[in-house]
Amino acid sequence: DAKTTQPNSMESNEEEPVHLPCNHSTISGTDYIHWYRQLPSQGPEYVIHGLTSNVNNRMASLAIAEDRKSSTLILHRATLRDAAVYYCILRDLSNSGYALNFGKGTSLLVTP
Amino acid sequence: KAGVTQTPRYLIKTRGQQVTLSCSPISGHRSVSWYQQTPGQGLQFLFEYFSETQRNKGNFPGRFSGRQFSNSRSEMNVSTLELGDSALYLCASRTGRGSYEQYFGPGTRLTVT
């Protein structure tokens, strides 16, 4: 399975944008990029996913590099509720199943 | 629509015992996956079931098993418990083929003494 590399932790001020980077230099053409986050004492929750083009939804934006070797999750205005561990995950579309390898993720601290 | 529910939420067992955890997926979801979360290893995939068939299996010993029923509810079983099995066990469901979002339950906290 292709691996992802994320910083262990990041810090942001409330109401400022946050850019969470993810490197995946060994990504294959059939790998989707998924982002999940896990708030304290909760199960993970889906944030966003993409293949080649940038994606937006109500929670965040996903910017994917042209060579697909890296991506960035963008939270446009961080709130205290966005403090969580963010996981960048590659999922092989050629695999009919859905087995996620979460890795260590980035722990985001949001300060008022 | 109700979310993924897991029972029990907390469990204490003794080494050598076995345990069964239960998961009820979101209504209409046919795929159920199980994950183990520990401070040292993080979140690790155990197995996935779709329409009562195991589709994927993670790198766990045979002591870990699961099954899915015709109503999509799933159970996982751990036999001959070891101290290292102490973890948060998370269940997740999704609609099935072609769906990209997986919805997680709150987990069952298992402590093995």
Side-chain angles (χ1 to χ4, degrees):
Chain A
D1 288 338
K3 302 288 187 198
T4 62
T5 303
Q6 299 178 253
N8 289 333
S9 62
M10 291 185 64
E11 190 169 338
S12 173
N13 294 320
E14 196 177 12
E15 298 187 4
E16 289 187 356
V18 182
H19 291 235
L20 297 163
C22 180
N23 286 315
H24 29 78
S25 59
T26 60
I27 192 171
S28 74
T30 55
D31 282 331
Y32 265 86
I33 303 162
H34 287 253
W35 284 82
Y36 278 75
R37 72 179 184 180
Q38 188 172 21
L39 279 65
S41 302
Q42 294 188 27
E45 68 173 337
Y46 167 87
V47 177
I48 200 167
H49 78 277
L51 184 62
T52 57
S53 304
N54 294 345
V55 185
N56 301 293
N57 67 18
R58 63 175 180 81
M59 287 183 69
S61 295
L62 176 59
I64 302 172
E66 195 168 335
D67 63 4
R68 300 210 324 129
K69 293 184 183 301
S70 66
S71 60
T72 302
L73 179 71
I74 303 165
L75 307 179
H76 296 287
R77 286 186 67 200
T79 69
L80 297 179
R81 290 174 58 238
D82 291 322
V85 178
Y86 287 78
Y87 297 96
C88 171
I89 305 162
L90 300 183
R91 185 174 76 89
D92 188 353
L93 189 62
S94 65
N95 183 338
S96 61
Y98 196 99
L100 299 179
N101 291 313
F102 275 82
K104 299 296 184 186
T106 296
S107 180
L108 176 65
L109 175 67
V110 180
T111 54
Chain B
K1 194 184 268 190
V4 177
T5 57
Q6 294 186 244
T7 55
R9 292 293 311 278
Y10 302 91
L11 202 52
I12 299 175
K13 289 286 189 179
T14 305
R15 265 184 307 175
Q17 289 185 315
Q18 75 161 9
V19 67
T20 299
L21 311 181
S22 181
C23 171
S24 292
I26 292 172
S27 177
H29 286 194
R30 297 168 63 193
S31 169
V32 173
S33 297
W34 288 89
Y35 293 82
Q36 180 196 66
Q37 185 169 30
T38 60
Q41 298 298 318
L43 267 158
Q44 293 185 287
F45 172 76
L46 278 157
F47 26 67
E48 178 194 12
Y49 287 87
F50 179 81
S51 294
E52 302 177 65
T53 302
Q54 188 179 88
R55 295 180 62 187
N56 281 290
K57 189 176 190 306
N59 189 25
F60 277 82
R63 300 186 297 108
F64 292 81
S65 64
R67 61 177 175 168
Q68 186 181 33
F69 303 95
S70 58
N71 62 358
S72 294
R73 191 177 69 85
S74 177
E75 290 180 347
M76 69 162 282
N77 184 78
V78 188
S79 62
T80 320
L81 283 165
E82 300 176 0
L83 295 179
D85 297 333
S86 295
L88 180 67
Y89 290 88
L90 291 156
C91 169
S93 76
R94 63 188 185 104
T95 55
R97 296 183 195 279
S99 58
Y100 296 100
E101 298 181 39
Q102 196 167 59
Y103 297 84
F104 283 79
T108 293
R109 173 72 63 185
L110 172 66
T111 301
V112 182
T113 63

